[in-house]
Amino acid sequence: MKKGITTSTAEKKETPEGLWSKCPECGYICTMTELRENLFVCPKCNHHHRIGSAEYFEILFDDNKYEVLFENIRSKDQLHFTDLKNYGKRLEEIWAKTDITDSIRIGKGNLKGIPFMVGCMDFEFIGGSLGSVMGERIARAIDVCIKERIPLMIICKSGGARMMESAYSLMQLAKVSGKLSQLTDAKIPYISLQTDPSFGGISASFGMLGDLNIAEPGALIGFAGPRVIKETIKKDLPEGFQRSEFLLEHGFLDFIVPRKEMKEKLATVLSLFKN
């Protein structure tokens, strides 16, 4: 009776990792191929999965052709910071595991034939945290934008400032904000796209300084997290608090753009700015 039913452990076939994906919002299970073809948006409930800079660059730039700038700038452990692990050692481990060199990558290419500069944060690099390298890369990108008269977009995906760099990290808020004022003086557009999550020093500075502040559907955006706010004010928070739809309703955002419509919408906006 047992023949053909029980399988020895040695003969069991494990499903390779990374073939399937389960939506955290509705539980829908689909293949990674299907999810990728749908631009990492759940086919059932439209939940926007978190993606990295490589995926955003592929969505935005024509024929997936772009130049990555300022990769030679790397973080240093100036303060010899140690928490659970030495900061210098933490950086070395991340660089060994991934080809991402810091929490933001700067890509330059064309969007529907329009020259475009995009700075995109990678959450997998220490939570997309704002450090001195992120500030310097954005500052240099702005210099190129002013010189070549190219519009800039920063895709925010961050937990906030990087504690391992302490004041060095916090100084980047003022530094980038100051550089963006130069971009404004040169009459070059800056678009801030906020994705899930955009928190802390990012939202407290350049994340909210765009000529257009836009967001993906359902993105969590704020300064402190909902749990911290709830514990501080001792009150229940409104439903959907800090989600992009709530912020749009309260005038914090200009519009929400689904990932599938992003390229077309940005091309329209840039054409209008140009003229």
Side-chain angles (χ1 to χ4, degrees):
M1 283 179 72
K2 288 184 178 181
K3 194 176 179 183
I5 296 173
T6 50
T7 311
S8 71
T9 309
E11 291 170 9
K12 279 184 181 176
K13 289 188 173 79
E14 294 291 337
T15 308
E17 282 187 26
L19 286 182
W20 297 87
S21 172
K22 184 177 181 180
C23 176
E25 197 68 31
C26 69
Y28 178 74
I29 297 172
C30 66
T31 63
M32 280 302 293
T33 307
E34 185 186 352
L35 193 63
R36 181 177 285 276
E37 285 171 358
N38 211 41
L39 303 184
F40 297 93
V41 176
C42 176
K44 190 176 179 185
C45 72
N46 203 37
H47 171 74
H48 284 52
H49 290 250
R50 290 179 185 176
I51 56 175
S53 55
E55 289 79 15
Y56 275 112
F57 290 162
E58 189 178 340
I59 291 166
L60 294 172
F61 290 123
D62 297 345
D63 304 320
N64 197 22
K65 288 179 183 173
Y66 56 89
E67 180 188 359
V68 179
L69 306 175
F70 318 123
E71 287 291 287
N72 58 318
I73 308 170
R74 299 284 188 105
S75 294
K76 284 186 177 178
D77 186 11
Q78 302 276 19
L79 303 172
H80 308 293
F81 184 93
T82 304
D83 48 2
L84 298 172
K85 204 181 284 184
N86 176 278
Y87 179 43
K89 197 173 284 182
R90 190 189 292 271
L91 289 169
E92 292 294 340
E93 284 177 9
I94 296 170
W95 289 329
K97 284 178 192 170
T98 175
D99 58 352
I100 299 167
T101 54
D102 208 84
S103 50
I104 194 168
R105 282 211 306 164
I106 309 291
K108 180 188 171 194
N110 288 334
L111 183 146
K112 296 275 183 181
I114 303 166
F116 199 35
M117 184 81 77
V118 181
C120 183
M121 297 173 196
D122 281 290
F123 198 76
E124 63 181 283
F125 195 101
I126 316 182
S129 51
L130 169 63
S132 49
V133 169
M134 184 189 285
E136 184 61 20
R137 285 185 181 180
I138 294 172
R140 293 197 189 189
I142 291 169
D143 287 337
V144 175
C145 288
I146 293 170
K147 186 181 176 184
E148 299 182 17
R149 301 203 62 79
I150 301 172
L152 170 71
M153 180 165 83
I154 296 177
I155 301 173
C156 303
K157 189 185 292 285
S158 173
R162 190 175 300 175
M163 66 172 186
M164 297 82 135
E165 293 188 18
S166 188
Y168 285 112
S169 173
L170 295 176
M171 284 160 64
Q172 307 311 309
L173 279 70
K175 175 178 173 175
V176 174
S177 300
K179 291 299 289 184
L180 286 171
S181 69
Q182 293 179 4
L183 205 64
T184 304
D185 293 340
K187 292 184 168 56
I188 295 166
Y190 161 52
I191 299 167
S192 174
L193 170 63
Q194 289 163 77
T195 67
D196 187 53
S198 296
F199 270 87
I202 301 290
S203 64
S205 58
F206 57 87
M208 285 295 169
L209 291 178
D211 297 306
L212 282 176
N213 294 321
I214 63 178
E216 288 187 335
L220 198 59
I221 303 161
F223 181 67
R227 182 177 51 81
V228 175
I229 294 170
K230 187 177 176 180
E231 285 175 4
T232 305
I233 65 172
K234 308 290 187 231
K235 287 181 182 177
D236 287 331
L237 300 170
E239 195 177 338
F241 178 71
Q242 289 188 326
R243 293 287 173 189
S244 48
E245 291 77 10
F246 183 88
L247 297 184
L248 178 69
E249 195 180 314
H250 289 78
F252 222 55
L253 295 171
D254 292 298
F255 58 83
I256 294 170
V257 56
R259 205 172 281 164
K260 291 179 184 176
E261 299 169 20
M262 193 181 295
K263 190 170 182 176
E264 289 291 338
K265 187 89 169 178
L266 286 171
T268 305
V269 163
L270 292 174
S271 300
L272 292 170
F273 275 140
K274 195 175 181 181
N275 295 318

